Amino acid sequence: MTSPRQLLQTANESLLAEFFQASVGKWRSERRYYTLPEGETKEMVSIITIRYLEQGCEELQKLAQMHNLLDAVSLVCGAEVIWESTDSISGRKESKGKTLFGAKGNILYRDRGFATTKPVTAQYFFPNPTTLCLRTEYNGSVFEEELKLVGSKYRTRQSIISRAGEQLMIGQYLEKRI
């Protein structure tokens, strides 16, 4: 017999697969970071490319190994995200890189975190089918993120970074499909 918890995990995995598939493609991400409590801002533009990863693919098997999962094909789906960021004001290149996401149950496995190159995990849930919420904790910090699909051409994102119960930074993003 399937438990209610297993049904919820399967539903979440299905919603996540649909969310990742709807996000496939190239996006222009315009974002603003607010450093708290001073309110200092930093504006960035990134070009983001998202690729859907099928269960059992090489990237998800490597990700499962990074997280010491016993079954290398246990991650049901995932995404590869490649980015290149530029400071909007100075035009200076800020960062570029790639990260992998893979899902099992209500856990999103990542090959790196926002502020670390080490593998991390996030709890995820969907308050509705077009909004993905993540909570990641490591090194004493909490990262809460909300990604929302707005039709097929837009996404919004918001990130809140906290430490010891105090909010340190808020990031707000508008992403347009290219």
Side-chain angles (χ1 to χ4, degrees):
M1 179 175 203
T2 306
S3 74
R5 183 171 185 232
Q6 288 171 313
L7 288 173
L8 179 61
Q9 285 182 350
T10 301
N12 274 342
E13 290 170 349
S14 178
L15 283 171
L16 187 63
E18 290 173 21
F19 190 91
F20 282 159
Q21 288 168 345
S23 296
V24 166
K26 193 173 262 193
W27 299 83
R28 176 183 166 88
S29 177
E30 299 171 6
R31 62 189 195 254
R32 179 177 281 173
Y33 292 110
Y34 299 93
T35 304
L36 304 174
E38 298 85 18
E40 179 183 323
T41 62
K42 184 170 190 170
E43 295 184 27
M44 307 283 291
V45 172
S46 297
I47 301 300
I48 299 171
T49 304
I50 300 172
R51 184 170 62 98
Y52 182 73
L53 301 175
E54 298 273 348
Q55 184 173 21
C57 73
E58 184 179 335
E59 293 91 343
L60 290 182
Q61 288 184 38
K62 286 181 182 175
L63 185 59
Q65 290 170 353
M66 281 182 190
H67 284 276
N68 298 314
L69 299 178
L70 297 178
D71 182 359
V73 294
S74 62
L75 298 174
V76 297
C77 69
E80 174 189 66
V81 178
I82 300 170
W83 75 90
E84 188 166 330
S85 300
T86 305
D87 185 296
S88 296
I89 307 302
S90 70
R92 195 181 94 214
K93 298 281 185 205
E94 287 287 324
S95 67
K96 67 180 194 175
K98 173 175 89 167
T99 189
L100 299 175
F101 299 85
K104 180 180 178 183
N106 67 338
I107 305 290
L108 192 61
Y109 295 84
R110 300 173 68 166
D111 64 339
R112 60 177 296 153
F114 181 77
T116 182
T117 57
K118 295 179 182 176
V120 299
T121 60
Q123 297 281 327
Y124 77 92
F125 69 94
F126 284 87
N128 63 63
T130 61
T131 306
L132 169 62
C133 295
L134 306 170
R135 181 181 174 89
T136 310
E137 296 183 41
Y138 57 86
N139 297 338
S141 294
V142 176
F143 303 82
E144 295 175 289
E145 299 175 84
E146 177 186 275
L147 295 89
K148 184 176 188 70
L149 293 167
V150 182
S152 62
K153 296 180 183 173
Y154 302 97
R155 293 182 354 154
T156 60
R157 292 172 49 195
Q158 180 163 284
S159 303
I160 300 171
I161 303 170
S162 305
R163 180 173 285 219
E166 184 176 333
Q167 292 74 31
L168 302 176
M169 183 179 288
I170 297 173
Q172 295 182 316
Y173 313 66
L174 173 62
E175 298 177 343
K176 302 173 188 175
R177 190 180 296 275
I178 298 175

